[in-house]
Amino acid sequence: MRENEWTKLLGWPGYRVYRHEIDEHGKTLKLWVRRKRGNRKLVCSGCGRKLTEACDIYQREVRDLPWSEYRATVVLELYRVRCPDCGLKTEKIAQLPSKAPFSKRLEEAVGLACESAAVRRVAQQFGLAGSTVRAIDLRYLERWAAARRKPALRQMGVDEIHLGKKQKFLTVVSNLETGEPLWFGRERKKETLDEFFEKQLSSFQRSAIRAACVDMWEPYRQSLEQWVPRCRIVYDKFHIMQHAGAAVDEVRRAEFFRKGGAAREVVKGKRWLLLSRWVHLNTHKKRQLNELFALNRRVMKAYLLKESLDRLWSYTYEGAMLRYLKSWIDQLRWQRLKPMEKLARMLLDHLDGIVNYCRIKIPMGVVEAVNGNIKALLRRGRGYRDLNYLLLKAQRLAATKTEFVAFRKAA
Ligand SMILES: [Zn+2]
């Protein structure tokens, strides 16, 4: 094979192969490339200024996509330029996106693979270390984020994710219209959300925010009132139903606390069953729940109350919603279900934000979906120490999903 055929196969615009080496035993291929004769435009890697004079040549070796069974490396001739602004700098070329020893298209391939597989799998596939794959993936995501337009924030979601005993909580701010997470903060204090408003948004951007879906959590409300006083707070279904689930669980624990033997066996592992909606359970699970209810009517009552609270969001008129909530609270009388009474008081204290659901059109289920995506990533990645990486990953996940939907619609 002649060198210009190698050049065609490599397909790096502006570069030609002038030497190659094949190691059949080690299954490696090495190509030496330099600029084609007409390719004289140099770009400063510091500022992007175009220059014509090169002052020095040196070589760099990078991994490229594999050729069949061969692991390929490319040795490039690169120029150093004397930039009037930056001084002596290396030139910038499209095929080398960073200082790391990988070609752009290899990084793109690794990044793309990381979208649908765990780092461990991708590392195996490309014969790279896990830490290298993570670093490549992060750069891939950073390049994607830098190149795209960020949509305006008009409706925001604020949610917290429980990370575990050590790291505790993560505050997640998301854009409800695009369904993507925008920012992560450690902990869930007022100061946490303050930081988002102060550092991430200009006062103009803050004034564009019309509504915020949040949990009934005082520190968040205080922060919202301070930074975006004109924004309507909506206490959404997802968060309220989380509280309802927690109340049912509290009833279950109180009821079965001192019970032993057979009763304990029936209750065991039923926590998530009680948190599930009845309509989502199969016959077997429904039977399991019925066994539990036969043992304890109070747990059943609490479960039914949780189930009926869900219907609150089927009303679109304020008056009807309020009437339904009142009748729901009336059912609590004489039941002596303390956790449910506590929930009712909480709902009454946040009535305005609950009824705001009828006043503002807010996409439902977005906060829940964002939350679910992040939890799925956390499970798959076994703990992201780098929050920025986790955020980019979750943003990319949200964006590629919408792209996919848009594509499907067009087709
Ligand atoms: Zn420069």
Side-chain angles (χ1 to χ4, degrees):
M1 203 153 67
R2 299 212 321 269
E3 299 303 356
N4 76 8
E5 282 167 334
W6 282 108
T7 300
K8 275 184 204 158
L9 283 172
L10 178 71
W12 278 24
Y15 283 82
R16 66 182 175 88
V17 178
Y18 65 91
R19 201 188 134 194
H20 68 270
E21 202 176 85
I22 299 170
D23 176 354
E24 273 181 88
H25 271 293
K27 294 284 181 210
T28 58
L29 168 69
K30 204 166 180 176
L31 298 169
W32 280 260
V33 308
R34 61 168 58 118
R35 283 172 171 263
K36 283 180 180 166
R37 233 172 283 286
N39 182 10
R40 293 298 305 172
K41 271 179 223 125
L42 302 171
V43 177
C44 165
S45 62
C47 63
R49 179 199 283 262
K50 289 192 180 69
L51 299 149
T52 46
E53 287 295 304
C55 61
D56 182 16
I57 297 181
Y58 70 104
Q59 282 194 330
R60 242 187 92 182
E61 197 173 314
V62 296
R63 269 277 296 275
D64 196 22
L65 290 174
W67 291 45
S68 176
E69 293 176 317
Y70 288 79
R71 165 196 285 231
T73 45
V74 175
V75 185
L76 277 114
E77 256 183 30
L78 281 175
Y79 292 85
R80 260 187 273 267
V81 291
R82 201 175 296 283
C83 172
D85 291 329
C86 315
L88 194 62
K89 275 276 173 188
T90 60
E91 63 163 330
K92 181 179 159 187
I93 73 162
Q95 287 90 340
L96 304 183
S98 77
K99 285 184 172 140
F102 306 102
S103 70
K104 182 169 181 199
R105 62 187 186 189
L106 178 70
E107 294 214 343
E108 303 283 306
V110 170
L112 199 64
C114 284
E115 279 175 17
S116 51
V119 164
R120 196 165 29 86
R121 285 269 310 279
V122 178
Q124 218 167 33
Q125 182 191 339
F126 285 88
L128 295 165
S131 57
T132 309
V133 168
R134 254 188 293 272
I136 291 176
D137 190 25
L138 178 59
R139 285 197 295 275
Y140 166 79
L141 293 167
E142 278 170 344
R143 281 198 293 279
W144 166 73
R148 80 192 186 113
R149 231 184 75 238
K150 296 236 167 81
L153 179 61
R154 287 179 299 230
Q155 299 187 335
M156 67 186 278
V158 184
D159 190 24
E160 82 252 345
I161 287 182
H162 190 238
L163 289 176
K165 284 196 180 109
K166 229 175 166 186
Q167 302 190 61
K168 292 190 182 153
F169 288 97
L170 193 63
T171 293
V172 178
V173 176
S174 51
N175 184 332
L176 294 181
E177 285 174 301
T178 60
E180 71 165 311
L182 298 176
W183 183 82
F184 288 162
R186 295 246 180 236
E187 311 213 38
R188 52 166 182 169
K189 298 176 183 158
K190 175 177 178 293
E191 292 77 22
T192 317
L193 198 52
D194 286 349
E195 194 190 326
F196 169 74
F197 287 123
E198 193 179 353
K199 298 200 176 137
Q200 302 292 313
L201 301 180
S202 64
S203 63
F204 176 73
Q205 285 172 311
R206 286 197 295 270
S207 69
I209 300 174
R210 295 273 163 270
C213 259
V214 291
D215 192 8
M216 297 174 287
W217 176 247
E218 202 52 18
Y220 288 160
R221 191 188 60 78
Q222 288 169 353
S223 180
L224 284 161
E225 273 178 4
Q226 180 186 336
W227 291 95
V228 282
R230 283 174 44 217
C231 153
R232 285 257 183 92
I233 294 177
V234 183
Y235 297 117
D236 63 306
K237 179 177 168 178
F238 169 61
H239 282 117
I240 292 171
M241 290 310 288
Q242 270 186 339
H243 285 284
V248 175
D249 198 44
E250 213 175 301
V251 172
R252 175 193 66 103
R253 267 181 292 147
E255 290 298 312
F256 288 96
F257 182 60
R258 267 180 276 271
K259 298 245 167 73
R264 207 180 220 133
E265 278 309 302
V266 176
V267 184
K268 212 182 238 172
K270 298 290 192 307
R271 187 175 166 269
W272 78 265
L273 270 185
L274 284 167
L275 297 180
S276 308
R277 303 249 359 245
W278 185 256
V279 289
H280 295 154
L281 297 174
N282 61 29
T283 332
H284 175 64
K285 305 275 187 223
K286 280 180 184 163
R287 197 180 310 132
Q288 282 188 311
L289 263 192
N290 277 328
E291 275 175 46
L292 179 67
F293 294 155
L295 276 179
N296 191 298
R297 308 305 282 179
R298 289 160 66 78
V299 172
M300 178 172 90
K301 189 70 205 171
Y303 182 81
L304 291 178
L305 282 163
K306 185 204 74 168
E307 283 285 289
S308 62
L309 182 62
D310 194 276
R311 233 170 299 144
L312 188 59
W313 290 274
S314 60
Y315 297 96
T316 44
Y317 293 100
E318 282 180 51
M321 197 183 193
L322 282 171
R323 260 195 308 282
Y324 184 79
L325 186 60
K326 191 181 169 298
S327 72
W328 185 85
I329 290 171
D330 285 344
Q331 290 180 65
L332 296 179
R333 219 179 297 170
W334 319 121
Q335 299 290 345
R336 285 175 295 119
L337 290 166
K338 278 272 171 322
M340 289 319 229
E341 285 165 19
K342 209 174 79 191
L343 175 67
R345 264 196 304 281
M346 190 189 231
L347 296 178
L348 287 173
D349 286 343
H350 296 85
L351 214 48
D352 200 45
I354 295 170
V355 176
N356 268 342
Y357 166 75
C358 299
R359 299 172 183 147
I360 316 160
K361 270 270 157 280
I362 287 264
M364 287 286 272
V366 177
V367 179
E368 190 175 2
V370 171
N371 182 311
N373 278 346
I374 293 166
K375 280 185 178 157
L377 280 172
L378 285 169
R379 265 198 306 277
R380 208 169 64 186
R382 302 241 174 79
Y384 281 80
R385 244 161 284 154
D386 183 354
L387 276 190
N388 179 44
Y389 183 30
L390 177 65
L391 179 62
L392 283 166
K393 203 82 194 150
Q395 287 178 333
R396 177 74 187 161
L397 192 68
T400 46
K401 270 210 182 133
T402 50
E403 275 161 32
F404 181 67
V405 170
F407 173 73
R408 286 256 300 257
K409 263 186 205 151

Short mmCIF file of all heavy atoms in Angstrom, two decimals, residues 43-49 51 81-87 89, ligand 1:
data_model
loop_
_atom_site.label_atom_id
_atom_site.label_comp_id
_atom_site.label_asym_id
_atom_site.label_seq_id
_atom_site.Cartn_x
_atom_site.Cartn_y
_atom_site.Cartn_z
N VAL A 43 -3.02 28.18 13.90
CA VAL A 43 -3.89 28.84 14.88
C VAL A 43 -3.24 28.75 16.25
O VAL A 43 -2.80 27.68 16.67
CB VAL A 43 -5.28 28.16 14.91
CG1 VAL A 43 -6.16 28.78 15.98
CG2 VAL A 43 -5.96 28.25 13.55
N CYS A 44 -3.19 29.88 16.94
CA CYS A 44 -2.61 29.91 18.29
C CYS A 44 -3.55 29.17 19.24
O CYS A 44 -4.76 29.43 19.26
CB CYS A 44 -2.43 31.36 18.73
SG CYS A 44 -2.14 31.52 20.50
N SER A 45 -3.01 28.26 20.03
CA SER A 45 -3.86 27.50 20.95
C SER A 45 -4.28 28.34 22.16
O SER A 45 -5.17 27.98 22.91
CB SER A 45 -3.13 26.23 21.42
OG SER A 45 -1.96 26.58 22.12
N GLY A 46 -3.59 29.49 22.34
CA GLY A 46 -3.94 30.34 23.48
C GLY A 46 -5.15 31.20 23.19
O GLY A 46 -6.08 31.27 23.99
N CYS A 47 -5.17 31.87 22.03
CA CYS A 47 -6.22 32.85 21.78
C CYS A 47 -7.00 32.60 20.50
O CYS A 47 -8.00 33.26 20.23
CB CYS A 47 -5.64 34.26 21.75
SG CYS A 47 -4.46 34.49 20.41
N GLY A 48 -6.56 31.65 19.66
CA GLY A 48 -7.29 31.36 18.43
C GLY A 48 -6.92 32.26 17.26
O GLY A 48 -7.50 32.18 16.20
N ARG A 49 -5.93 33.13 17.46
CA ARG A 49 -5.49 34.02 16.38
C ARG A 49 -4.84 33.21 15.26
O ARG A 49 -4.16 32.23 15.49
CB ARG A 49 -4.47 35.00 16.97
CG ARG A 49 -3.89 35.98 15.95
CD ARG A 49 -2.61 36.55 16.49
NE ARG A 49 -2.87 37.58 17.50
CZ ARG A 49 -2.85 38.89 17.24
NH1 ARG A 49 -2.60 39.32 16.03
NH2 ARG A 49 -3.08 39.76 18.20
N LEU A 51 -2.18 32.63 12.35
CA LEU A 51 -0.80 33.05 12.11
C LEU A 51 -0.26 32.30 10.89
O LEU A 51 -0.81 31.28 10.49
CB LEU A 51 0.06 32.73 13.34
CG LEU A 51 -0.38 33.45 14.63
CD1 LEU A 51 -0.06 32.61 15.84
CD2 LEU A 51 0.28 34.80 14.75
N VAL A 81 4.12 28.36 17.46
CA VAL A 81 4.01 29.69 16.85
C VAL A 81 4.38 30.76 17.87
O VAL A 81 4.30 30.53 19.08
CB VAL A 81 2.56 29.96 16.35
CG1 VAL A 81 2.24 29.08 15.16
CG2 VAL A 81 1.55 29.77 17.46
N ARG A 82 4.80 31.92 17.35
CA ARG A 82 5.05 33.04 18.25
C ARG A 82 3.89 34.01 18.10
O ARG A 82 3.80 34.74 17.11
CB ARG A 82 6.39 33.71 17.93
CG ARG A 82 6.95 34.51 19.09
CD ARG A 82 8.33 35.07 18.80
NE ARG A 82 9.36 34.03 18.62
CZ ARG A 82 9.92 33.34 19.64
NH1 ARG A 82 9.57 33.58 20.89
NH2 ARG A 82 10.83 32.42 19.40
N CYS A 83 2.98 33.97 19.07
CA CYS A 83 1.76 34.78 18.99
C CYS A 83 2.05 36.14 19.62
O CYS A 83 2.67 36.21 20.68
CB CYS A 83 0.63 34.07 19.73
SG CYS A 83 -0.85 35.04 19.92
N PRO A 84 1.60 37.23 18.98
CA PRO A 84 1.85 38.57 19.55
C PRO A 84 1.21 38.72 20.93
O PRO A 84 1.69 39.51 21.75
CB PRO A 84 1.18 39.51 18.55
CG PRO A 84 0.93 38.72 17.33
CD PRO A 84 0.89 37.28 17.70
N ASP A 85 0.14 38.01 21.18
CA ASP A 85 -0.54 38.13 22.48
C ASP A 85 -0.06 37.12 23.50
O ASP A 85 0.11 37.45 24.67
CB ASP A 85 -2.05 37.95 22.30
CG ASP A 85 -2.67 39.12 21.55
OD1 ASP A 85 -2.14 40.23 21.70
OD2 ASP A 85 -3.65 38.89 20.82
N CYS A 86 0.14 35.88 23.07
CA CYS A 86 0.40 34.82 24.04
C CYS A 86 1.87 34.41 24.11
O CYS A 86 2.24 33.62 24.97
CB CYS A 86 -0.43 33.58 23.69
SG CYS A 86 -2.13 33.94 23.28
N GLY A 87 2.70 34.89 23.18
CA GLY A 87 4.09 34.45 23.18
C GLY A 87 4.22 33.12 22.49
O GLY A 87 3.41 32.76 21.62
N LYS A 89 3.62 29.56 21.65
CA LYS A 89 2.50 28.65 21.91
C LYS A 89 2.49 27.53 20.89
O LYS A 89 3.01 27.70 19.79
CB LYS A 89 1.18 29.43 21.78
CG LYS A 89 0.78 30.16 23.05
CD LYS A 89 0.06 29.22 23.96
CE LYS A 89 -0.21 29.85 25.31
NZ LYS A 89 -0.74 28.87 26.26
ZN ZN B 1 -2.35 33.72 21.04
#
